[in-house]
Amino acid sequence: MAPTIQPDRLAAITATLDHDRDLGLDIGARLCATCVDVLGVTGAGIMLMIDGENSSSLGVSDPTIGVVEELQFTLGVGPCIDAVHTGQPVLEPDLAHPSVHRWPGFAGPAVEAGVGAVFGFPVVSGAVRLGALDVYLDRPGALDDTQLADAVALAGLIGDTVLAIQANTAPGLVPEQFEASVEHRAVVHQASGMLSAQLEISVQDALARIRAYSYAEGRLVNDVARAIVQRTLYLPSETG
Amino acid sequence: MNDATHAPDPLVGRRQRKDAAVPTYETLLAHTFVTFADTMVTDFDVVDFLSTLATRCVELFDAGDAGIMLADASGRMQVAASSSHQMRLLELFELQHDEGPCPDAYRTGRAVQHVDLRDAAEIWPKFAPEAVRAGFLSVSAFPMRLRADTIGALNLIRATTGVLDEGELAAAQALADIATIGILHHRAAEESRLLTEQLHYALNSRIVIEQAKGVVSQRLELDMDTSFTTLRNYSRSHNRRLVDVAHEIVDRELPAAALMSPPPV
């Protein structure tokens, strides 16, 4: 699929992102705003994949796409997850009445949050998959060929930007542009540590336990984690 | 067409002298392009790639030898591939004296040819006699260039006098260009891979530090900030990296209680 964004338009978009000389702390928000503007969608978010099960959000254009990304982190399924795993765009034009049954637990809460259609595009640089761009429409509908090609081109731009940020960062340090998203997820890892010490299990098992509890209770992982860290919630040693 | 009893016309192109039994020039050229295109998609070994390029050039352009030089990060050229040991020595000679068709092609970004090196002493006072001594009489060098970037040069050298015709010049430059694209593409891919590794390492280090804070908070009944301070103080006083201490805490190789003990005297 050849991108339809003209080279000079893509250059203009890139120039807008660079105009503050350095890639500023709000780069995630600006990238999302650019995606919304170029694609004409309701909202956009960028998920950074760290490993198979850890991700953080680089930016969101509105709270709804924020919920979409939190749901995916909680459930481990969704358009971003699939986009990263397959390396292909993932398209769901009618989340309330999907033709393909997938993503258990995701559609209901996402539709409730205001998602009519949702699409995920892998963010890659060369052969490496860094994460995904997710965009949504507030009512059912498909993206046309122009939007699809533009989304792929934007995902490429996001990948280049992420690596450019890393290139400007001392090795070993989290780039400060990602600090906010890393900090947002910190409570989950703290809770995993606490739970692993409480139940004498590995941190991986502890995270899985937190996720399972969140899914069963219909809560987001971050909220459950916060309750664990605040010691208002203790998970039982045996899953129910 | 080539009558062995007459001295060959130096301006007659190589193609016309090919033995009919070998694959046609066009076939070999096409095959070379396809091979290179394929190489660039799969695992790419620069040295292997350039050795193949040198060998192919010898076959395609009836050259005695071929060699490739690449510039390093500071712009100093190095011999990257040679079709023979003798060629390698000659290329090293060019670099040592900073004189010859390769340095010229690299610096000017333009192809350089000489029909008879016995007449080239004014242009290359050291290289020309050395090349003649080594048995070479003519040379064609091509910049390895993509837009404004010249990354090296390809050198074809022959035991006979003469120059490449227009078609061969175009083909040789095209091969040099394709090699350039392949190398630049490979370098970009390597850089992406390296940067991604750095990013993931940094993010994973943060994750394990947060996990360790949780373990310490639970075991020592501290809040998160105090847990972090405890980890950090222990790391500093024991001269260890915070992330390593965090790993040991999370993996239960270091008990949290040990964080409270004073450092060894």
Side-chain angles (χ1 to χ4, degrees), chain A residues 92-173:
Chain A
E92 183 45 79
D94 191 345
L95 193 55
H97 307 99
S99 50
V100 180
H101 281 284
R102 51 187 165 180
W103 313 328
F106 174 80
V111 168
E112 250 184 66
V115 176
V118 68
F119 313 90
F121 301 90
V123 169
V124 299
S125 183
V128 182
R129 296 182 197 157
L130 300 170
L133 163 69
D134 48 356
V135 306
Y136 83 98
L137 304 173
D138 58 6
R139 65 200 65 169
L143 297 181
D144 62 35
D145 286 347
T146 306
Q147 290 169 304
L148 287 174
D150 286 354
V152 171
L154 286 165
L157 177 63
I158 291 166
D160 291 344
T161 305
V162 168
L163 290 189
I165 288 170
Q166 179 59 42
N168 280 326
T169 306
L173 297 183

Side-chain angles (χ1 to χ4, degrees), chain B residues 17-229:
Chain B
R17 276 185 257 166
K18 286 261 181 292
D19 186 323
V22 304
T24 65
Y25 169 81
E26 286 78 12
T27 306
L28 193 54
L29 185 63
H31 184 67
T32 303
F33 278 115
V34 169
T35 308
F36 283 170
D38 184 52
T39 311
M40 287 192 284
V41 176
T42 56
D43 269 333
F44 185 81
D45 181 287
V46 174
V47 169
D48 191 44
F49 177 73
L50 293 177
S51 298
T52 305
L53 174 61
T55 308
R56 282 299 165 83
C57 283
V58 167
E59 293 165 8
L60 280 165
F61 305 111
D62 207 15
D65 269 303
I68 293 125
M69 301 194 194
L70 287 181
D72 65 18
S74 61
R76 292 178 60 83
M77 292 245 275
Q78 300 183 354
V79 178
S82 314
S83 57
S84 73
H85 181 65
Q86 186 179 41
M87 182 60 178
R88 181 176 163 74
L89 291 177
L90 193 59
E91 289 188 281
L92 289 169
F93 186 93
E94 275 183 270
L95 292 181
Q96 205 180 338
H97 298 277
D98 196 22
E99 179 199 295
C102 259
D104 285 359
Y106 173 69
R107 271 196 283 270
T108 65
R110 313 249 282 260
V112 170
Q113 293 206 88
H114 205 289
V115 62
D116 190 336
L117 289 170
R118 293 168 299 193
D119 301 331
E122 274 185 30
I123 307 172
W124 301 312
K126 297 198 179 81
F127 169 76
E130 181 66 20
V132 170
R133 233 191 323 275
F136 298 115
L137 290 182
S138 64
V139 68
S140 310
F142 302 88
M144 292 179 65
R145 183 195 63 212
L146 180 66
R147 292 190 276 271
D149 283 325
T150 308
I151 64 170
L154 163 69
N155 197 353
L156 308 179
I157 199 158
R158 291 169 296 270
T160 52
T161 57
V163 291
L164 300 185
D165 65 32
E166 264 190 49
E168 291 169 317
L169 284 174
Q173 186 62 62
L175 284 172
D177 291 346
I178 252 201
T180 305
I181 290 171
I183 290 167
L184 290 176
H185 182 261
H186 171 70
R187 285 180 186 170
E190 269 305 292
E191 201 190 352
S192 292
R193 198 184 51 78
L194 191 64
L195 289 172
T196 305
E197 273 178 20
Q198 287 178 0
L199 177 61
H200 286 174
Y201 176 79
L203 294 172
N204 277 318
S205 296
R206 278 293 288 276
I207 285 175
V208 82
I209 288 169
E210 298 298 336
Q211 290 170 339
K213 281 159 68 173
V215 172
V216 170
S217 165
Q218 175 65 26
R219 293 252 192 258
L220 302 183
E221 294 175 11
L222 303 169
D223 63 50
M224 287 301 159
D225 286 344
T226 312
S227 300
F228 177 68
T229 312

